[in-house]
Amino acid sequence: MTLIHNDYILFCTDQWCDIKKIIEKCGGIESEVIESVRRLTIMGFLESRSLKKTFFYKQYEKPQSREQFVSMVDDFVSYQKSEIESIKTIPTIVSGDGSQFGFSKQGLELLEHIQEEIDRIIMIISRIDHQDKIRTLQHPIARQRIKKLENHVNRIMKIMLESYKDVRSNVALQEYFKTHTEKLNF
């Protein structure tokens, strides 16, 4: 779960900071912090520079260019493809132990991974919406980008609901994502 580091990484990169200091300040697992930094850079929240084989990162406040946005969406699509493959290999997400909404271990891992991706997309949608409101991004471009991101989320949710059609799994999915996305309303 690399998402847990995002807020702190953004907090400590108000000035240029090298990756070693970011890892040190976050205090998390190095590979998770590096992955989180990589994803924040792709998502347009951080900019990077290198100096003598050392990478430095700083918050990036400007709206993404068209190319940056397309690259970020391509990254989301590649993660979505791996999620779809996982959905195909996991026959059921609920456990067979008789608990009402108990998830299997693989099912819960899949749901957590998908939720992390949804949280990232919601983070970007919030940023685009803010840039639209303060007029640093043209309204039609902002609406188009938000619609593209919402369609991306809707696609994976539709695939999940179609893949796990039994009533128990369907109800469990809807309840899981309802519970985990209520706090993210903007």
Side-chain angles (χ1 to χ4, degrees), residues 150-182:
E150 287 173 344
N151 287 340
H152 181 78
V153 170
N154 291 337
R155 179 172 183 247
I156 192 66
M157 296 309 294
K158 181 179 176 187
I159 290 169
M160 289 199 60
L161 290 172
E162 288 174 357
S163 297
Y164 303 112
K165 289 185 179 186
D166 64 283
V167 174
R168 190 169 163 219
S169 295
N170 222 283
V171 169
L173 278 172
Q174 291 177 17
E175 193 63 33
Y176 179 86
F177 286 109
K178 177 185 170 204
T179 303
H180 288 79
T181 56
E182 280 180 347

Side-chain angles (χ1 to χ4, degrees), residues 128-146:
I128 291 170
D129 188 55
H130 174 71
Q131 290 168 343
D132 181 23
K133 287 177 182 171
I134 64 170
R135 301 183 193 271
T136 58
L137 187 62
Q138 294 177 358
H139 182 73
I141 293 171
R143 295 294 117 203
Q144 179 185 21
R145 289 180 179 185
I146 288 171

Side-chain angles (χ1 to χ4, degrees), residues 11 51 53 59 63 75 78 108 114 122 137 154 158 167:
F11 174 75
L51 179 65
K53 298 182 183 181
Q59 283 185 35
D75 186 57
S78 72
L108 188 59
I114 290 171
I122 290 172
L137 187 62
N154 291 337
K158 181 179 176 187
V167 174

Side-chain angles (χ1 to χ4, degrees), residues 108-119:
L108 188 59
E109 288 173 0
L110 173 65
L111 294 177
E112 287 174 347
H113 185 265
I114 290 171
Q115 184 64 51
E116 191 170 326
E117 288 300 301
I118 290 171
D119 291 347

